[in-house]
Amino acid sequence: MSVVIPVRNRAGLIGRCLDSVKAQIWRPIRVIVVDNGSTDDTKHVVTDWISRNEEEKFQLTLVEEARPGAAVARNRGLQEVETEYMLFFDSDDVMHPDLVETAMREFIDHPDLDIVHWRIGYFFSDNRKRVSKYTITDEWRYQAYHSIFATICYAVKTVFFRNAGAWNNDLYCWDDWELGMRLLLSNPLMKGIDRVLATVYHQSDSITGDNFSSKAGEWERAIDATERYVESSGYKDADWLVDMINYRRAILAAYYKREKRPDLADPLLRKALSHRTLSLPRKWLLKLLYHYTSLGGRGAYLLWK
């Protein structure tokens, strides 16, 4: 198993992440850290950590990628992968000790598997906690609405990942959501593990951040790219998928409205409501779900079949 970890300006956090990788029960592991133009002491911290922790069955590599963006950095790490299986991990987060072993046991027991996926836990700065959504029977809807293939939620057969097109270098937000949709379009054989195997520690300066307005335009870019890909894929239920993608567009507009940015919300909602997949009753329902979500409501997706 190879583990690819992009990092930028995380001198105070990358050690915790790497410690959790070293604590894995499984061996051998190869770790590939990609520094994405750090301006703090990150490279020195990683170099020092490698010098103190590398072992015969725990190999570490530090490479650099000057072009900005986590997707670009992950693709740079992918170039270094030589193992049959791999996973991506984020420098803010922590693996549970049996994550790699759990995934590898499934791959060994079921050699035809392309993806093994699991739950993750979230820990917020105000001490709130929650657990990710999970399914083994409704992956399309859960990916479209909840991004069950978020970056640290799965391990994958390397050749399958490369054949699916890897990361989209043009995206800076929701790139893992867009990639997850493409992975599903490649018809993977999957195994789900209904356990939390990693913890996300939310940071205000992470890629997703703590609001949507500050990255307006980037979320839309991911939605539009995913929609175009699905429409050109030849998938038999493409209109159904595109309808779910357009729902995400309307909900993003609701988040903008909640953040008191009608200048962002209104044109995006108009685009969602004018979508070709919508009948008149569906337009009214989508508008209702938009208003419900903009007022703080949760779970609107349950009504969008």
Side-chain angles (χ1 to χ4, degrees), residues 283-294:
K283 288 182 181 180
W284 283 108
L285 176 58
L286 188 61
K287 194 170 185 178
L288 176 64
L289 298 179
Y290 160 82
H291 285 297
Y292 169 75
T293 303
S294 71

Side-chain angles (χ1 to χ4, degrees), residues 205-217:
D205 61 345
S206 66
I207 294 172
T208 51
D210 54 11
N211 68 77
F212 289 91
S213 303
S214 63
K215 295 183 175 67

Side-chain angles (χ1 to χ4, degrees), residues 1 26-30 54-60:
M1 179 72 76
W26 182 267
R27 291 292 189 274
I29 298 176
R30 185 187 180 199
E54 189 164 35
E55 302 169 354
E56 180 180 356
K57 293 187 177 182
F58 187 69
Q59 299 178 355
L60 298 116

Side-chain angles (χ1 to χ4, degrees), residues 155-305:
V156 62
K157 189 175 291 184
T158 304
V159 66
F160 176 86
F161 188 84
R162 286 182 168 134
N163 288 340
W167 297 85
N168 186 334
N169 287 341
D170 295 328
L171 301 182
Y172 296 93
C173 296
W174 283 349
D175 51 334
D176 53 353
W177 173 74
E178 183 268 349
L179 172 60
M181 298 292 279
R182 283 191 285 115
L183 291 175
L184 286 178
L185 282 168
S186 298
N187 195 31
L189 184 61
M190 299 180 289
K191 176 68 180 292
I193 307 295
D194 190 7
R195 290 170 47 209
V196 172
L197 293 178
T199 299
V200 172
Y201 288 87
H202 185 264
Q203 310 291 330
S204 61
D205 61 345
S206 66
I207 294 172
T208 51
D210 54 11
N211 68 77
F212 289 91
S213 303
S214 63
K215 295 183 175 67
E218 295 300 335
W219 318 104
E220 293 91 329
R221 188 195 301 269
I223 292 172
D224 293 345
T226 306
E227 185 175 76
R228 288 193 301 270
Y229 189 88
V230 170
E231 288 179 328
S232 66
S233 68
Y235 184 71
K236 60 183 177 64
D237 293 322
D239 279 356
W240 174 62
L241 299 182
V242 167
D243 192 57
M244 288 192 287
I245 293 167
N246 187 55
Y247 167 85
R248 194 173 179 106
R249 182 178 284 125
I251 296 304
L252 174 61
Y255 291 150
Y256 286 151
K257 182 68 176 296
R258 191 187 298 180
E259 294 172 6
K260 304 186 185 307
R261 291 297 305 272
D263 57 314
L264 299 174
D266 293 347
L268 190 58
L269 178 62
R270 286 195 296 270
K271 181 175 181 177
L273 292 174
S274 65
H275 200 273
R276 64 172 181 79
T277 62
L278 295 180
S279 63
L280 185 58
R282 296 279 282 177
K283 288 182 181 180
W284 283 108
L285 176 58
L286 188 61
K287 194 170 185 178
L288 176 64
L289 298 179
Y290 160 82
H291 285 297
Y292 169 75
T293 303
S294 71
L295 293 172
R298 299 177 63 86
Y301 72 95
L302 294 170
L303 297 176
W304 194 254
K305 302 294 185 180

Side-chain angles (χ1 to χ4, degrees), residues 16-86:
R16 179 183 67 181
C17 174
L18 292 172
D19 286 344
S20 77
V21 183
K22 187 180 181 183
Q24 293 301 295
I25 298 168
W26 182 267
R27 291 292 189 274
I29 298 176
R30 185 187 180 199
V31 183
I32 302 161
V33 181
V34 185
D35 183 76
N36 194 206
S38 292
T39 56
D40 67 355
D41 206 28
T42 294
K43 283 190 290 185
H44 173 76
V45 170
V46 173
T47 301
D48 179 66
W49 197 96
I50 289 174
S51 69
R52 292 183 288 104
N53 290 278
E54 189 164 35
E55 302 169 354
E56 180 180 356
K57 293 187 177 182
F58 187 69
Q59 299 178 355
L60 298 116
T61 303
L62 173 62
V63 297
E64 297 186 41
E65 175 53 69
R67 294 174 297 168
V72 176
R74 292 179 185 124
N75 279 332
R76 174 65 184 89
L78 179 61
Q79 294 175 13
E80 301 291 321
V81 174
E82 299 175 346
T83 54
E84 186 174 3
Y85 303 102
M86 66 173 301

